[in-house]
């Protein structure tokens, strides 16, 4: 048996329940993993509230790290006793142990702690695809990154700096702006106190940025389009402030033949080899010290509702984990 967080209906943090569930044995293509730490991400909120639909009841959580206890037939990249970490569907990572598909579970080097492993996989591989698999970006390019002091944002600030890319961030407080700049942002704008669109255009001498990486959604979407250079790429990868409302596609032409994508990590990691390659690049960045994972909040598994409340209230910085 393993303590597991489930929801029986969509709703607020109060719908999160901790129950005992039987774990069982892995079948073909599966592993059983005992967790040391679990990651907390905004996708968990989307699933809990019903923005992302799931059959009920359902376990929650997309990310964790721990020790492989058993492997099923056909699993060759992992063995019992291996340290491992993952960001993977289906949801169910908020637990002490689980049986799950092995495809997106990745070996975790000894040099990387379980806490860092649990905090970095979903956010870090998201940054990897934003910078390497979405539009060509390289030294000398400038990107705008919203919520630059969050878990994804602080990884992105460091990643950009390690590759010679100028990152302009936004955040909601001066303290968060300083944090983003300490982690490699060229500049971070407090969007509550400044006309951030005007500021971005001033910082780019009116040329705009090559790409916007926007996990905020409704509140920043239209302003982000106004920050792009002609032929620039809008990457709308999250909805922290709510879904982006409908807009006229002709707007993209009028604003400079802009490009737009709504990517998800789980499309990028669906292929086993691609997932493992993305994870290796992330682990090399972390292992070399180019990217440091900042875990600023820790909650016991049975306090998962409080963790969700803190995340939704934007009271968190860096990454948040659940301890098992």
């Amino acid at each position: 048996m393993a303590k597991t967080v489930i929801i029986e209906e969509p709703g607020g943090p109060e719908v999160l329940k901790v129950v005992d569930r039987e774990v069982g044995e892995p079948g073909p293509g599966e592993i059983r993993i005992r967790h040391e730490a679990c990651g907390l991400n905004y996708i968990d909120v989307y699933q809990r509230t019903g923005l992302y639909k799931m059959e009920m009841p359902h376990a929650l959580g997309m990310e964790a790290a721990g020790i492989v206890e058993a492997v099923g037939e056909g699993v060759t990249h992992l063995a019992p006793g291996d340290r491992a970490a993952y960001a993977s569907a289906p949801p169910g990572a908020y637990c002490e142990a689980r049986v799950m598909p092995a495809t997106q579970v990745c070996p975790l080097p000894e040099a990387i702690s379980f806490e860092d492993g649990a905090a970095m996989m979903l956010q870090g591989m998201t940054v990897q695809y934003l910078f390497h698999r979405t539009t060509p970006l390289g030294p000398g390019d400038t990107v705008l990154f919203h919520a630059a002091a969050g878990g994804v944002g602080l990884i992105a600030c460091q990643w950009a700096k390690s590759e010679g890319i100028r990152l302009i961030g936004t955040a909601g407080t001066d303290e968060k702006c300083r944090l983003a700049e300490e982690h490699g942002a060229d500049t971070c704008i407090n969007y509550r106190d400044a006309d951030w669109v005007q500021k971005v255009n001033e910082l780019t001498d009116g040329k705009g940025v090559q790409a916007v990486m926007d996990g905020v959604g409704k509140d920043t979407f239209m302003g982000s389009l106004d920050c792009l250079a002609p032929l620039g790429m809008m990457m709308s990868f999250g909805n922290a402030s709510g879904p982006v409302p409908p807009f006229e596609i002709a707007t993209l032409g009028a604003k400079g033949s802009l490009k737009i994508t709504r990517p998800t990590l789980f499309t990028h990691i669906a292929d086993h080899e691609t997932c493992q390659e993305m994870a290796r690049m992330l682990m090399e960045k972390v292992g070399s010290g180019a990217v440091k994972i900042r875990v600023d909040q820790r909650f016991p598994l049975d306090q998962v509702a409080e963790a969700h409340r803190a995340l939704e209230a934007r009271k968190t910085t860096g990454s948040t984990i659940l301890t098992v």
Side-chain angles (χ1 to χ4, degrees), residues 127-169:
V127 172
Q128 196 277 345
Y129 82 67
L130 291 173
F131 280 89
H132 288 274
R133 293 175 55 81
T134 308
T135 196
L137 291 169
D141 287 334
T142 301
V143 302
L144 172 64
F145 199 101
H146 291 297
V152 181
L154 292 183
I155 295 172
C157 290
Q158 297 173 82
W159 198 291
K161 187 173 183 179
S162 76
E163 299 192 349
I165 296 169
R166 182 189 185 196
L167 185 145
I168 299 171

Side-chain angles (χ1 to χ4, degrees), residues 90-104:
Y94 291 177
C95 65
E96 295 175 322
R98 69 186 293 201
V99 169
M100 64 180 295
T103 300
Q104 280 84 39

